[in-house]
Amino acid sequence: MNNKATITIDCSRASEHRINPYLFGHFVEDIRDHMEAMLAFSLKDMDFESEAESKTEVSGSWYAYTNGRNTKYALEASAPKHSGRAQRIRILSDDEAYAGIAQKTALKGQVKYTVKLVARASIELNYVIVEAVDRLNQERLGLERIELNSHNWQEYEAVLAISRDCADAEFRVYVPAEHPRWQDSVSTGMLWIDHVSLLPEDHIGWVKREVVEMSRDLNAGMMRLAGNYISAYHFEHGIGPVLERPVMFNEAWGGWTSKYFGTDEFIHFCRELNVEPLICVNDGSGTPEEAAQWVEYCNGGIDTPMGAKRAANGHPEPFGVKYWEIGNEVWGPWQVGTCTGEQFARRTLSFIEAMKAADPSIVILACGHTDQDWNRAVLDIAGEKIDYLTLHLYHGYNRFAMDRGTPAEERYKAIASFPEWTRHNIEETRERILTNPKHSHVKLAITEYNTMYYPNTVRKGLPDEHTLGAAVANAANLNEMLRSSDLVHIGSFSDLVNGWLGGCIRVGDYYADQYCGKNPGWSGRPLKVYGTPTYEVMKLYAGRDISHMLPAKVECGTFAVQSNKPAPIELDALPDLDVAACTNKDRSTITLFIVNRNLQEVSAALDLGGLRAAEDTVLYEITGESEWDINSVFVPDCISCKSTSIPFEAWKAGYPLRPASVYALEIRTK
């Protein structure tokens, strides 16, 4: 095998087009534990929305906390205007017991939490205790007393100071045994709780501070709100006073759609990150009129009906959401409102007409597909009216008829070939777009992409999607998107936090698919927040000063992928090195993104022609001991990005690039 390579860059031919910073975007979806991991709330079933999971009628994640022989529990209708249900507790005075509800959770120490309680009580009950203890040794971590002052529903708040971190805590709300006793008669010892939440003081717009800070470092450019759930999501259910927002079943993924992260919270999150929002409207169970109302809610003046509603919710200034996507994977049978390409295209026209009546300046993205018959229908019928066609690119073992029984080296080489499939999908779609002048203006938005490992039923042990090998594939995918950046303007890595298969930011130790049967907290480190190797890649790429592409010629060795079924691309001689060359606006810096896909070290020599470079270069490196290495709650920084200064002369002779590694080389020009 030839383990030497030469990279030749033509620094005189910068691309006319500019690289769009939205290429490095990310994706928020209410799927599995995405919102639970992302949001700062420490408790589940805060509105008692879930069914009882035991014989005692206590909602969802809560359980009875009592030593009363005769304490009774029931679920009732919620407080007026509120959603979910109310938890009723009846305590008999003769039991001289404590009684309430409790929930397992993980708490940060030396932090103050705001406890919000919506409750009513029979007149004999004067107060309740909110308390946190260590479940292992019952050490008290914090306690506060909340005075109850009404037989009617009231909202109460308290500040609960937690003394130390506790991975296995219990939070309790209860009437203590030492409470003054009452007479056993009608309507005594009754407590109703409609809502309980626990929010750390360091949250940022209800999002975990650690998630916001790590997301800032991603320099995302754009944040997308979308996913399968959106095709059954009605935005008006996620605006207004949060306790009055209805509980919505997540029809795509089961469980409950988070009413605590609606439009207002998403826009706040985007503004904290200084990124452009992209919203996908509900074209499945929704209507053009509803989509137009969503546009008006975000962009209308206070003299419009929905703009007035936004102002009443505390946001008088329009949000100015420019980018709107119609349809999420409408071609898929798992999607609410799935249909043919022709049906979707006609539907899209009605949505565009209604949405642009609300704001003519918006930019429209329409659901595309790797199936060009679908794209042909969408472009022929609606192409004149749209600005972007979308693609979702999840390449996986299924393309090669591989499974977990395939030798590890062959599986890795399949992973490393994923960008070739990306190129194939982009170029096929480019050809389709250019077939007719009426839609030749359309650009591409790859609004979801990640590595994918099929079949899902054999995901066991370590989560492959989070390995160094996955980061290599995703880096080479980004290189392909950069090389096609005249057409591809938008990218959205899937997902931002936990959730589906990616989650480049990981919160805690629970993986949605891979650890079936393991509950959050199994490691004892549920509070840990860290980045995957792909997080390091995304941060590296988006953090560079790049504006234009430069031609790059690579002479290097090759590898072959032994596919077990025919492929539409050649897999017998794939280059070891995947290189994308860029320069900044004033041509003062050249940045090379170099991915060594080989499992052997490659010595790379660099030729910049006659360009004079500064004496030292800066090399950023993401590497590890094995392509299967991952970051975890136990070793969160096993794979991280490190930088070093390398003399330019060293690149002329050939610089060693480690196996299965990602590099960014910055060269200052004279």
Side-chain angles (χ1 to χ4, degrees), residues 91 93 96-98 122-129 145 147-148 174-182:
I91 316 157
S93 183
E96 298 184 357
Y98 60 83
S122 56
I123 59 174
E124 298 82 11
L125 296 186
N126 301 318
Y127 68 92
V128 294
I129 298 295
R145 171 171 161 152
E147 303 294 330
L148 302 178
Y174 64 98
V175 176
E178 59 269 22
H179 189 288
R181 293 294 102 189
W182 54 90

Tab-separated table of all heavy atoms in Angstrom, residues 91 93 96-98 122-129 145 147-148 174-182:
chain	number	residue	atom	x	y	z
A	91	ILE	N	-54.884	12.194	53.470
A	91	ILE	CA	-54.165	11.691	54.633
A	91	ILE	C	-55.136	11.639	55.812
A	91	ILE	O	-55.816	12.640	56.094
A	91	ILE	CB	-52.997	12.633	54.998
A	91	ILE	CG1	-52.248	13.059	53.729
A	91	ILE	CG2	-52.061	12.000	56.001
A	91	ILE	CD1	-51.492	14.353	53.876
A	93	SER	N	-55.957	11.715	59.655
A	93	SER	CA	-55.328	12.266	60.849
A	93	SER	C	-54.946	11.173	61.842
A	93	SER	O	-53.893	11.229	62.476
A	93	SER	CB	-56.266	13.271	61.518
A	93	SER	OG	-55.656	13.872	62.626
A	96	GLU	N	-51.504	9.666	61.892
A	96	GLU	CA	-50.380	10.489	62.364
A	96	GLU	C	-49.147	10.256	61.488
A	96	GLU	O	-48.026	10.064	61.966
A	96	GLU	CB	-50.073	10.216	63.837
A	96	GLU	CG	-51.235	10.571	64.748
A	96	GLU	CD	-50.902	10.394	66.221
A	96	GLU	OE1	-49.787	9.936	66.529
A	96	GLU	OE2	-51.763	10.738	67.037
A	97	ALA	N	-49.406	10.298	60.175
A	97	ALA	CA	-48.374	9.919	59.205
A	97	ALA	C	-47.912	11.132	58.404
A	97	ALA	O	-48.515	12.205	58.438
A	97	ALA	CB	-48.939	8.873	58.245
A	98	TYR	N	-46.816	10.926	57.681
A	98	TYR	CA	-46.438	11.872	56.624
A	98	TYR	C	-46.989	11.297	55.320
A	98	TYR	O	-47.143	10.081	55.169
A	98	TYR	CB	-44.924	12.071	56.541
A	98	TYR	CG	-44.128	10.814	56.247
A	98	TYR	CD1	-43.961	10.343	54.941
A	98	TYR	CD2	-43.519	10.092	57.285
A	98	TYR	CE1	-43.236	9.190	54.678
A	98	TYR	CE2	-42.794	8.945	57.027
A	98	TYR	CZ	-42.648	8.496	55.721
A	98	TYR	OH	-41.928	7.357	55.456
A	122	SER	N	-57.334	21.186	51.670
A	122	SER	CA	-58.408	21.407	52.642
A	122	SER	C	-57.880	22.342	53.726
A	122	SER	O	-56.677	22.431	53.962
A	122	SER	CB	-58.880	20.083	53.218
A	122	SER	OG	-57.798	19.366	53.786
A	123	ILE	N	-58.787	23.017	54.392
A	123	ILE	CA	-58.387	24.156	55.232
A	123	ILE	C	-57.516	23.756	56.411
A	123	ILE	O	-56.825	24.587	56.982
A	123	ILE	CB	-59.629	24.932	55.720
A	123	ILE	CG1	-60.558	24.021	56.537
A	123	ILE	CG2	-60.377	25.537	54.531
A	123	ILE	CD1	-61.718	24.774	57.168
A	124	GLU	N	-57.502	22.465	56.797
A	124	GLU	CA	-56.686	22.056	57.940
A	124	GLU	C	-55.193	21.983	57.611
A	124	GLU	O	-54.362	22.030	58.514
A	124	GLU	CB	-57.133	20.685	58.452
A	124	GLU	CG	-58.571	20.634	58.955
A	124	GLU	CD	-59.566	20.475	57.824
A	124	GLU	OE1	-59.122	20.191	56.680
A	124	GLU	OE2	-60.764	20.649	58.076
A	125	LEU	N	-54.868	21.859	56.317
A	125	LEU	CA	-53.460	21.719	55.934
A	125	LEU	C	-52.855	23.101	55.733
A	125	LEU	O	-53.257	23.858	54.854
A	125	LEU	CB	-53.331	20.896	54.657
A	125	LEU	CG	-53.798	19.435	54.747
A	125	LEU	CD1	-53.490	18.698	53.459
A	125	LEU	CD2	-53.140	18.725	55.925
A	126	ASN	N	-51.860	23.409	56.553
A	126	ASN	CA	-51.275	24.747	56.566
A	126	ASN	C	-49.997	24.867	55.746
A	126	ASN	O	-49.636	25.960	55.323
A	126	ASN	CB	-50.960	25.163	58.012
A	126	ASN	CG	-52.200	25.155	58.877
A	126	ASN	OD1	-53.253	25.605	58.444
A	126	ASN	ND2	-52.076	24.627	60.099
A	127	TYR	N	-49.299	23.762	55.550
A	127	TYR	CA	-48.026	23.853	54.833
A	127	TYR	C	-47.623	22.474	54.317
A	127	TYR	O	-48.141	21.444	54.753
A	127	TYR	CB	-46.928	24.430	55.732
A	127	TYR	CG	-46.511	23.547	56.883
A	127	TYR	CD1	-45.450	22.640	56.752
A	127	TYR	CD2	-47.166	23.618	58.123
A	127	TYR	CE1	-45.061	21.829	57.807
A	127	TYR	CE2	-46.780	22.812	59.179
A	127	TYR	CZ	-45.726	21.922	59.019
A	127	TYR	OH	-45.352	21.112	60.071
A	128	VAL	N	-46.684	22.490	53.351
A	128	VAL	CA	-46.042	21.262	52.883
A	128	VAL	C	-44.530	21.471	52.935
A	128	VAL	O	-44.039	22.604	53.001
A	128	VAL	CB	-46.461	20.879	51.443
A	128	VAL	CG1	-47.923	20.507	51.387
A	128	VAL	CG2	-46.121	21.985	50.454
A	129	ILE	N	-43.830	20.369	52.917
A	129	ILE	CA	-42.371	20.375	52.875
A	129	ILE	C	-41.911	19.962	51.478
A	129	ILE	O	-42.453	19.007	50.901
A	129	ILE	CB	-41.781	19.402	53.919
A	129	ILE	CG1	-42.179	19.830	55.337
A	129	ILE	CG2	-40.262	19.283	53.773
A	129	ILE	CD1	-41.600	21.170	55.765
A	145	ARG	N	-39.968	24.926	53.546
A	145	ARG	CA	-41.383	24.833	53.928
A	145	ARG	C	-42.176	25.817	53.080
A	145	ARG	O	-41.773	26.971	52.910
A	145	ARG	CB	-41.527	25.163	55.412
A	145	ARG	CG	-42.958	25.318	55.899
A	145	ARG	CD	-42.969	25.419	57.409
A	145	ARG	NE	-44.218	25.995	57.906
A	145	ARG	CZ	-44.740	25.744	59.092
A	145	ARG	NH1	-44.101	24.927	59.934
A	145	ARG	NH2	-45.854	26.303	59.482
A	147	GLU	N	-45.873	27.536	52.755
A	147	GLU	CA	-47.137	27.791	53.438
A	147	GLU	C	-48.287	27.703	52.436
A	147	GLU	O	-48.225	28.279	51.350
A	147	GLU	CB	-47.141	29.170	54.088
A	147	GLU	CG	-46.007	29.408	55.070
A	147	GLU	CD	-46.102	28.521	56.305
A	147	GLU	OE1	-47.233	28.159	56.698
A	147	GLU	OE2	-45.034	28.203	56.878
A	148	LEU	N	-49.315	26.978	52.785
A	148	LEU	CA	-50.508	26.871	51.949
A	148	LEU	C	-51.552	27.846	52.483
A	148	LEU	O	-51.849	27.847	53.681
A	148	LEU	CB	-51.062	25.449	51.975
A	148	LEU	CG	-50.101	24.344	51.517
A	148	LEU	CD1	-50.767	22.982	51.653
A	148	LEU	CD2	-49.658	24.570	50.076
A	174	TYR	N	-44.460	16.853	50.522
A	174	TYR	CA	-45.285	16.085	51.452
A	174	TYR	C	-45.748	16.921	52.642
A	174	TYR	O	-45.171	17.963	52.977
A	174	TYR	CB	-44.520	14.860	51.957
A	174	TYR	CG	-43.272	15.168	52.771
A	174	TYR	CD1	-43.300	15.151	54.172
A	174	TYR	CD2	-42.060	15.460	52.148
A	174	TYR	CE1	-42.165	15.422	54.915
A	174	TYR	CE2	-40.918	15.719	52.877
A	174	TYR	CZ	-40.972	15.708	54.269
A	174	TYR	OH	-39.836	15.984	55.003
A	175	VAL	N	-46.796	16.428	53.235
A	175	VAL	CA	-47.266	16.941	54.526
A	175	VAL	C	-46.540	16.133	55.598
A	175	VAL	O	-46.630	14.903	55.622
A	175	VAL	CB	-48.786	16.772	54.670
A	175	VAL	CG1	-49.250	17.224	56.056
A	175	VAL	CG2	-49.512	17.540	53.573
A	176	PRO	N	-45.785	16.786	56.498
A	176	PRO	CA	-44.981	16.019	57.461
A	176	PRO	C	-45.831	15.455	58.601
A	176	PRO	O	-46.938	15.934	58.873
A	176	PRO	CB	-43.993	17.058	57.978
A	176	PRO	CG	-44.720	18.359	57.858
A	176	PRO	CD	-45.576	18.236	56.625
A	177	ALA	N	-45.294	14.447	59.256
A	177	ALA	CA	-45.998	13.806	60.371
A	177	ALA	C	-46.218	14.778	61.526
A	177	ALA	O	-47.199	14.658	62.265
A	177	ALA	CB	-45.225	12.579	60.840
A	178	GLU	N	-45.311	15.748	61.675
A	178	GLU	CA	-45.430	16.690	62.796
A	178	GLU	C	-46.406	17.831	62.520
A	178	GLU	O	-46.564	18.733	63.353
A	178	GLU	CB	-44.055	17.272	63.153
A	178	GLU	CG	-43.348	18.016	62.041
A	178	GLU	CD	-42.440	17.117	61.211
A	178	GLU	OE1	-42.649	15.880	61.206
A	178	GLU	OE2	-41.520	17.656	60.560
A	179	HIS	N	-47.050	17.804	61.346
A	179	HIS	CA	-48.065	18.810	61.056
A	179	HIS	C	-49.166	18.714	62.110
A	179	HIS	O	-49.558	17.613	62.505
A	179	HIS	CB	-48.645	18.558	59.659
A	179	HIS	CG	-49.534	19.658	59.164
A	179	HIS	ND1	-50.790	19.892	59.677
A	179	HIS	CD2	-49.349	20.592	58.197
A	179	HIS	CE1	-51.340	20.913	59.048
A	179	HIS	NE2	-50.491	21.355	58.133
A	180	PRO	N	-49.697	19.850	62.582
A	180	PRO	CA	-50.817	19.786	63.541
A	180	PRO	C	-51.950	18.924	63.011
A	180	PRO	O	-52.272	18.963	61.822
A	180	PRO	CB	-51.244	21.255	63.671
A	180	PRO	CG	-50.007	22.035	63.325
A	180	PRO	CD	-49.284	21.240	62.293
A	181	ARG	N	-52.520	18.116	63.870
A	181	ARG	CA	-53.562	17.154	63.456
A	181	ARG	C	-54.896	17.848	63.194
A	181	ARG	O	-55.113	18.997	63.572
A	181	ARG	CB	-53.750	16.104	64.550
A	181	ARG	CG	-52.557	15.193	64.754
A	181	ARG	CD	-52.297	14.296	63.535
A	181	ARG	NE	-51.176	14.797	62.722
A	181	ARG	CZ	-50.860	14.326	61.543
A	181	ARG	NH1	-51.578	13.377	60.977
A	181	ARG	NH2	-49.843	14.818	60.873
A	182	TRP	N	-55.794	17.131	62.555
A	182	TRP	CA	-57.113	17.641	62.227
A	182	TRP	C	-58.152	16.565	62.527
A	182	TRP	O	-57.825	15.398	62.746
A	182	TRP	CB	-57.176	18.050	60.749
A	182	TRP	CG	-56.756	16.953	59.801
A	182	TRP	CD1	-57.541	16.018	59.241
A	182	TRP	CD2	-55.419	16.674	59.352
A	182	TRP	NE1	-56.810	15.165	58.465
A	182	TRP	CE2	-55.485	15.551	58.501
A	182	TRP	CE3	-54.175	17.275	59.583
A	182	TRP	CZ2	-54.374	15.005	57.889
A	182	TRP	CZ3	-53.074	16.735	58.961
A	182	TRP	CH2	-53.162	15.611	58.117
